[in-house]
Amino acid sequence: MKTAYFLPVLLLSAWCKAQGPYPYTEKGKWGLTDKNKSVLLKPQFDSIDVFRNGYARVESSKKIGLINTNGAIMVAPSYTNITNAFQDFTAIARNIKGYQIIDIRNDKPIGGLFTDLLPERSSYSKGSYYFVNKDGKMGIFDAQSGKMQNGKAPYNQVTGFNDPALEQFALITMGDTYGVVDVTSGREILKPEYDEIEEVYSGNTVYVAAKKGDDKVFYYDASFRTASPGNVQDKPASAMPAEGEVLNKKAKDMYIYKLGNDKWRAVLENRETNKYKGLDSTDLNGYTQLEYLSYYPNDKNFPSKIKAVKDGKTGVIDMSGKVLLPFIYDDVLFREDMVGRYAFIETYLDGKKGVVVAATMKELKKPVLKAILDEDHDRNALLIEMPNGQKGYMDKNTGEIFIPGVKE
């Protein structure tokens, strides 16, 4: 069963119009254009990453910088690495000496230089706090003031909690004992004197369990008031499977058998157990080749798709033999992202490639492309390559290509 998968850029994709600006190439360098194909940034970089919070990483001669959506260079490519920008205009940058926090509005460092351990951004949404390693110890750095909380880094480890209700706090380690600190002030809420501290749940409500010795457990709510939650578990109730729930619900799939003399049989089978059961079957005759493309029983319009070859040409049929794509192509390939949120059939004709949207089986782009390289969830577009070697983006709903100079 041949299926091509996209690179895992993000997990979910929305069916909406493509979002610019769009990187494109010219003579091997990347620039930036908009939906009108106006040049925002002349091609000059080796790569342009996805935009986050209005900024994107760019690379030139193995150095990293940042640009904004207007094509302005905010941070010149001078670092060996840099994170995507955060909403408070800070980013983590690395040079040959170590890491530092920078203000991307003026490309200047905030505070001093940290060691070669990557700082961790606190998840607290109302501030700009980082867990940093300085001189072999960890502490909390306030990027707004440019100073360490309490002026020091006294801990062996500082890390955030997982549950969003605890975002204002961090778990600290000193030697073999654990405590909790308020990231906004540096105040120790629980002194580092516990053997273990973990998040637990009563229903969907999070609590913190702090353990001393073998039998003493102290519980606190999300504001660190003492609490008595009763029975607790390590996951919220909403994340626990219901009793008897089958986690692998896709027990049924389509299988194709060759009978000989251009005769085939497509069968729906349940192979969840060793004694699998045939649920339905159809004989399909007159084809030199049949190949599984996809089967999604919840797709009411086109649940089954089969590559079929007849008289030397390739098309797509369903399990009943209905023709979904005419027999005019040299080949077809089914492609989808890692969770099947967006899928298309790549068509081949005379050395070029086209796109048919799997959900509608309508042709998005005739075979005029050299390659379909990847899906970009953020831009709601496909990264493509033209026959002349130029690369850029194509709206995955309309088929419009955003490469200056390309006429359709």
Side-chain angles (χ1 to χ4, degrees):
M1 300 178 185
K2 293 184 179 179
T3 301
Y5 294 95
F6 297 121
L7 297 176
V9 181
L10 285 177
L11 290 179
L12 299 178
S13 174
W15 277 97
C16 58
K17 193 172 179 64
Q19 303 292 317
Y22 308 97
Y24 73 98
T25 64
E26 187 175 290
K27 297 180 180 179
K29 295 294 184 180
W30 288 89
L32 206 61
T33 185
D34 60 17
K35 63 181 181 180
N36 299 316
K37 301 183 184 179
S38 299
V39 175
L40 302 178
L41 178 66
K42 291 182 179 180
Q44 58 189 281
F45 295 110
D46 299 325
S47 67
I48 297 178
D49 208 345
V50 173
F51 281 90
R52 293 274 189 269
N53 300 316
Y55 299 88
R57 297 174 359 128
V58 295
E59 181 176 353
S60 180
S61 300
K62 298 184 179 180
K63 297 293 184 180
I64 310 298
L66 290 172
I67 62 172
N68 66 14
T69 54
N70 295 321
I73 300 174
M74 303 301 294
V75 177
S78 58
Y79 297 98
T80 56
N81 203 356
I82 190 170
T83 64
N84 286 308
F86 298 105
Q87 292 180 343
D88 57 6
F89 305 109
T90 63
I92 305 170
R94 181 171 187 172
N95 57 31
I96 59 174
K97 294 182 179 180
Y99 289 97
Q100 60 189 38
I101 313 301
I102 63 170
D103 186 330
I104 62 177
R105 293 169 295 188
N106 54 27
D107 192 7
K108 291 184 178 180
I110 305 172
L113 186 72
F114 304 110
T115 61
D116 58 356
L117 294 179
L118 177 67
E120 177 187 344
R121 168 84 177 191
S122 167
S123 61
Y124 185 61
S125 58
K126 298 179 182 179
S128 183
Y129 303 100
Y130 291 85
F131 309 143
V132 299
N133 186 295
K134 193 173 179 65
D135 300 325
K137 292 289 187 178
M138 291 197 68
I140 301 170
F141 179 73
D142 183 351
Q144 293 179 339
S145 67
K147 298 179 180 180
M148 298 292 297
Q149 296 287 44
N150 298 325
K152 57 184 178 180
Y155 306 113
N156 296 108
Q157 184 68 39
V158 181
T159 187
F161 286 98
N162 294 318
D163 196 285
L166 298 170
E167 67 173 5
Q168 186 178 333
F169 306 98
L171 182 67
I172 55 174
T173 306
M174 185 172 284
D176 295 326
T177 56
Y178 298 86
V180 173
V181 65
D182 184 330
V183 300
T184 66
S185 64
R187 182 172 67 91
E188 291 181 353
I189 304 299
L190 297 181
K191 296 291 183 181
E193 57 189 23
Y194 297 90
D195 297 318
E196 185 180 356
I197 293 179
E198 61 180 349
E199 297 164 70
V200 295
Y201 292 86
S202 176
N204 288 318
T205 303
V206 67
Y207 293 88
V208 172
K211 301 178 181 180
K212 278 186 178 181
D214 295 330
D215 55 359
K216 291 183 179 179
V217 181
F218 304 90
Y219 290 101
Y220 302 90
D221 64 15
S223 297
F224 281 88
R225 296 183 292 257
T226 55
S228 301
N231 293 330
V232 296
Q233 55 200 29
D234 60 357
K235 295 180 181 179
S238 58
M240 302 294 288
E243 184 177 355
E245 180 182 356
V246 178
L247 298 181
N248 181 13
K249 295 182 179 180
K250 191 181 178 184
K252 182 169 65 174
D253 205 349
M254 177 178 64
Y255 298 85
I256 299 173
Y257 298 92
K258 185 175 182 179
L259 305 179
N261 297 322
D262 293 344
K263 294 182 179 181
W264 305 77
R265 181 168 294 156
V267 184
L268 293 182
E269 296 178 1
N270 185 335
R271 293 191 175 184
E272 190 176 42
T273 64
N274 292 331
K275 297 180 179 180
Y276 61 85
K277 180 181 179 182
L279 304 174
D280 192 12
S281 67
T282 307
D283 286 348
L284 301 166
N285 302 325
Y287 301 102
T288 56
Q289 181 183 352
L290 291 185
E291 185 177 306
Y292 177 102
L293 291 181
S294 68
Y295 177 71
Y296 290 105
N298 294 330
D299 185 339
K300 296 181 180 179
N301 296 319
F302 310 103
S304 59
K305 298 179 181 69
I306 301 171
K307 169 185 169 180
V309 180
K310 188 175 186 178
D311 299 327
K313 285 296 182 180
T314 303
V316 176
I317 63 175
D318 66 10
M319 189 175 167
S320 71
K322 179 181 177 180
V323 177
L324 305 182
L325 280 185
F327 292 85
I328 60 175
Y329 302 104
D330 298 328
D331 201 359
V332 297
L333 177 69
F334 184 80
R335 297 182 61 178
E336 63 184 348
D337 65 18
M338 295 302 287
V339 289
R341 298 294 181 180
Y342 179 81
F344 68 85
I345 293 175
E346 186 174 281
T347 57
Y348 297 69
L349 184 63
D350 298 331
K352 296 180 181 178
K353 300 179 181 181
V355 176
V356 173
V357 179
T360 62
M361 291 305 294
K362 292 183 179 180
E363 189 172 58
L364 180 70
K365 181 63 64 177
K366 293 182 181 299
V368 297
L369 308 172
K370 181 179 179 180
I372 300 104
L373 302 173
D374 200 5
E375 182 194 8
D376 190 318
H377 297 268
D378 296 85
R379 297 185 175 98
N380 280 289
L382 297 173
L383 177 61
I384 61 168
E385 183 176 358
M386 301 300 294
N388 65 359
Q390 276 192 290
K391 298 176 184 178
Y393 286 87
M394 180 179 77
D395 189 317
K396 69 181 185 183
N397 298 315
T398 67
E400 184 179 3
I401 295 174
F402 304 106
I403 301 177
V406 171
K407 296 181 180 180
E408 302 183 64

